Amino acid sequence: MSRVALPAEPPSRLGLSRARILDAALSLLDRVGLDEFTMRRLAAELDIGTMTLYGYFRTKDELLDALVDAGAQQLFEVSSKPRSWDERLRQLFLNLHRSHLEHPAIVELRYKRPLLSPGALRFTEMCMEILTGAGFDNREAARAYRLLFVYTFGSSAFGPGRRPQADREQTLVALSALPADLYPVLRGAVAEAAEAMADETLFEFGLELLLDGLKRRRRRPINQR
């Protein structure tokens, strides 16, 4: 989400709006991380007084919830042409993964704070609608959604970063230094392990495996699931 999408609102005499504040908050979060993010620091970024921010957001938690809610809007950019249920899910989770890679602070935010706000739950609602519409019962749909979300979240947190070549080289050095008598398998697969560590296609590969498994399960009779 390059910019936060919010309904139009009249600008203040300072040129402020909730959208502008959230854009600045996202940029600051990406640079300093959640632990270093404060309302005072955000106010300094915007060259305003801290109390001015509280006229738009009553607390830091309210601002962070609004940031996630606004960013969730861009996760629904799915082609309007008819798609199968698994293609729709694939696009939604690719969007989520891309958003996490563009803004790693959102991954940190989701990890450290429970996000059960209406905006954040719209993504859950859409995925559950797709799964139940495909024939999964409520329990299976909820479990399938959670599995896809956790996989996407984990891939965003531990997958290739913004410098895959540097990650690859660092892994090569570390694995090559292992004693062969204690790590015979890893030493025999140094190049392959390093490539997997920095493989930018790995997320899509895993996502396809999960969706293929769901498609096979959906075709089984209910009493055999």
Side-chain angles (χ1 to χ4, degrees), residues 14-16 20-33 36-53 63:
L14 298 173
L16 282 179
R20 183 186 169 205
I21 291 170
L22 291 176
D23 278 338
L26 182 60
S27 176
L28 180 61
L29 270 171
D30 281 338
R31 295 201 314 273
V32 306
E36 299 297 322
F37 179 87
T38 65
M39 296 292 269
R40 184 186 299 275
R41 194 162 184 175
L42 177 59
E45 289 276 316
L46 291 164
D47 196 24
I48 59 174
T50 305
M51 293 309 298
T52 302
L53 278 181
L63 184 149

Side-chain angles (χ1 to χ4, degrees), residues 1-132:
M1 48 184 178
S2 56
R3 288 185 60 82
V4 173
L6 285 177
E9 59 180 305
S12 71
R13 61 184 178 81
L14 298 173
L16 282 179
S17 66
R18 284 171 62 90
R20 183 186 169 205
I21 291 170
L22 291 176
D23 278 338
L26 182 60
S27 176
L28 180 61
L29 270 171
D30 281 338
R31 295 201 314 273
V32 306
L34 187 59
D35 289 341
E36 299 297 322
F37 179 87
T38 65
M39 296 292 269
R40 184 186 299 275
R41 194 162 184 175
L42 177 59
E45 289 276 316
L46 291 164
D47 196 24
I48 59 174
T50 305
M51 293 309 298
T52 302
L53 278 181
Y54 289 108
Y56 291 86
F57 300 96
R58 291 170 296 177
T59 65
K60 185 173 83 169
D61 283 348
E62 183 180 287
L63 184 149
L64 293 174
D65 282 342
L67 184 62
V68 173
D69 285 359
Q73 301 292 328
Q74 297 187 22
L75 300 179
F76 306 115
E77 296 174 357
V78 179
S79 172
S80 59
K81 69 180 182 180
R83 288 174 175 264
S84 64
W85 66 270
D86 55 295
E87 289 175 329
R88 293 172 64 200
L89 279 180
R90 180 180 184 276
Q91 186 61 62
L92 285 171
F93 281 97
L94 285 174
N95 288 352
L96 180 62
H97 185 248
R98 183 183 67 247
S99 174
H100 285 172
L101 293 183
E102 291 175 353
H103 301 290
I106 298 299
V107 178
E108 184 183 14
L109 187 57
R110 285 183 174 273
Y111 175 71
K112 292 186 175 180
R113 299 177 68 253
L115 294 173
L116 298 174
S117 60
L121 290 175
R122 282 194 63 237
F123 184 80
T124 307
E125 169 72 15
M126 178 171 283
C127 293
M128 286 288 290
E129 179 185 0
I130 293 171
L131 286 161
T132 55

Side-chain angles (χ1 to χ4, degrees), residues 71-219:
Q73 301 292 328
Q74 297 187 22
L75 300 179
F76 306 115
E77 296 174 357
V78 179
S79 172
S80 59
K81 69 180 182 180
R83 288 174 175 264
S84 64
W85 66 270
D86 55 295
E87 289 175 329
R88 293 172 64 200
L89 279 180
R90 180 180 184 276
Q91 186 61 62
L92 285 171
F93 281 97
L94 285 174
N95 288 352
L96 180 62
H97 185 248
R98 183 183 67 247
S99 174
H100 285 172
L101 293 183
E102 291 175 353
H103 301 290
I106 298 299
V107 178
E108 184 183 14
L109 187 57
R110 285 183 174 273
Y111 175 71
K112 292 186 175 180
R113 299 177 68 253
L115 294 173
L116 298 174
S117 60
L121 290 175
R122 282 194 63 237
F123 184 80
T124 307
E125 169 72 15
M126 178 171 283
C127 293
M128 286 288 290
E129 179 185 0
I130 293 171
L131 286 161
T132 55
F136 294 96
D137 62 31
N138 286 342
R139 182 175 184 270
E140 286 191 320
R143 286 161 63 88
Y145 164 74
R146 189 61 184 169
L147 177 64
L148 289 165
F149 178 83
V150 170
Y151 169 69
T152 303
F153 187 99
S155 295
S156 303
F158 298 105
R162 296 182 176 182
R163 302 187 306 147
Q165 183 57 37
D167 292 343
R168 185 179 294 107
E169 292 173 358
Q170 184 178 9
T171 303
L172 277 171
V173 171
L175 296 184
S176 298
L178 293 173
D181 56 332
L182 295 179
Y183 301 90
V185 177
L186 273 178
R187 280 299 304 271
V190 168
E192 293 81 2
E195 183 62 32
M197 184 72 72
D199 186 352
E200 295 175 275
T201 70
L202 196 60
F203 171 74
E204 291 192 43
F205 173 70
L207 182 60
E208 291 298 335
L209 291 181
L210 289 174
L211 291 174
D212 284 347
L214 288 174
K215 284 188 288 185
R216 286 195 296 271
R217 186 172 183 83
R218 190 182 72 96
R219 289 194 290 266

